[in-house]
Amino acid sequence: MAIKLAERYPTRASDPSLAYPTGSFKNKSAPGAVDGTPLEKDWANDFLGFRDALLDAAEIVANGDIDTAQASQTFDALTAYIAASSPQTPSQTQAVWNAGESTVESKISSLKLQSKVLNMFGGTVDENDYTVLPNGMIIQIGNTLGSSTAAPISFPISFPNNCFIVMLTDHSTTNASTAAIAWDYESRSLSNYRYREGGAAGNHSFLAIGN
């Protein structure tokens, strides 16, 4: 819920615009006039509600001090919430894991445990996708079309350091398209791999592990 200023004060607030879609505050036209936006608890509490919701989401308890540019609990809560909601890159995951609880808590002020744990695992969820473990290990999966020419097959993301292993399994819908697989190991890289099938071309799935 959020107050629509122009509707709450139809003659004492500016009309909605691209800059302020729900209306905006306006000054009184002259001393003693009553056509400016009134100072009222509802719209003030509307702003306060956003701040308190942000503090609650980041599990930060208000300390009673006035926020400033040098020390702002509202800003701390916003950065904590963003950090908890953003997937980590492999390097960020490893850095947070190595930092330890005390360092993380001192920088990001009491993140929710569930959010912290979930966001230590970067990546998304799909049939061609990857997951980053807290220790920096990366697991990637995907489906590929068979080839007898050793064409390169790209991973969902490039491994930053090493590609330890790539495994294939048949992904065909019929036995007729099952084929033997011969590897061209020399062409494997951090971003792709090559394989050559020894029989009729069929679809295959891959599992790649690295860091």
Side-chain angles (χ1 to χ4, degrees):
M1 295 180 289
I3 289 177
K4 295 182 178 180
L5 206 64
E7 291 183 7
R8 177 62 68 92
Y9 313 107
T11 62
R12 302 183 65 179
S14 298
D15 292 334
S17 64
L18 290 177
Y20 302 100
T22 61
S24 59
F25 295 97
K26 71 175 184 179
N27 293 327
K28 57 186 178 181
S29 59
V34 290
D35 54 358
T37 306
L39 175 62
E40 189 178 64
K41 69 175 183 178
D42 282 353
W43 67 253
N45 286 335
D46 206 37
F47 288 102
L48 192 63
F50 169 73
R51 189 207 66 174
D52 287 349
L54 195 57
L55 292 173
D56 181 66
E59 289 192 342
I60 293 178
V61 178
N63 58 18
D65 297 333
I66 298 173
D67 272 9
T68 67
Q70 288 74 36
S72 170
Q73 282 193 299
T74 304
F75 182 77
D76 290 344
L78 179 61
T79 56
Y81 184 79
I82 292 173
S85 304
S86 303
Q88 303 281 353
T89 65
S91 59
Q92 288 172 330
T93 299
Q94 188 66 52
V96 172
W97 185 264
N98 291 338
E101 180 67 14
S102 60
T103 301
V104 174
E105 290 296 335
S106 66
K107 291 181 180 291
I108 314 180
S109 234
S110 300
L111 289 175
K112 290 184 177 179
L113 178 60
Q114 181 181 13
S115 296
K116 286 193 294 184
V117 172
L118 289 177
N119 282 281
M120 296 184 88
F121 294 81
T124 51
V125 181
D126 201 351
E127 63 178 10
N128 292 281
D129 227 321
Y130 70 97
T131 292
V132 183
L133 303 184
N135 64 357
M137 187 77 74
I138 302 173
I139 300 173
Q140 306 202 54
I141 60 173
N143 296 322
T144 71
L145 296 176
S147 172
S148 60
T149 60
I153 305 298
S154 296
F155 298 126
I157 63 169
S158 295
F159 290 104
N161 301 301
N162 300 285
C163 176
F164 297 127
I165 188 172
V166 179
M167 296 179 288
L168 294 183
T169 183
D170 179 63
H171 187 64
S172 302
T173 57
T174 64
N175 291 333
S177 60
T178 301
I181 304 172
W183 278 94
D184 178 0
Y185 284 103
E186 293 182 359
S187 65
R188 187 178 63 187
S189 70
L190 297 178
S191 60
N192 61 57
Y193 68 94
R194 295 172 184 265
Y195 75 93
R196 183 180 294 107
E197 294 185 351
N203 297 336
H204 290 82
S205 299
F206 70 82
L207 170 66
I209 300 175
N211 70 348

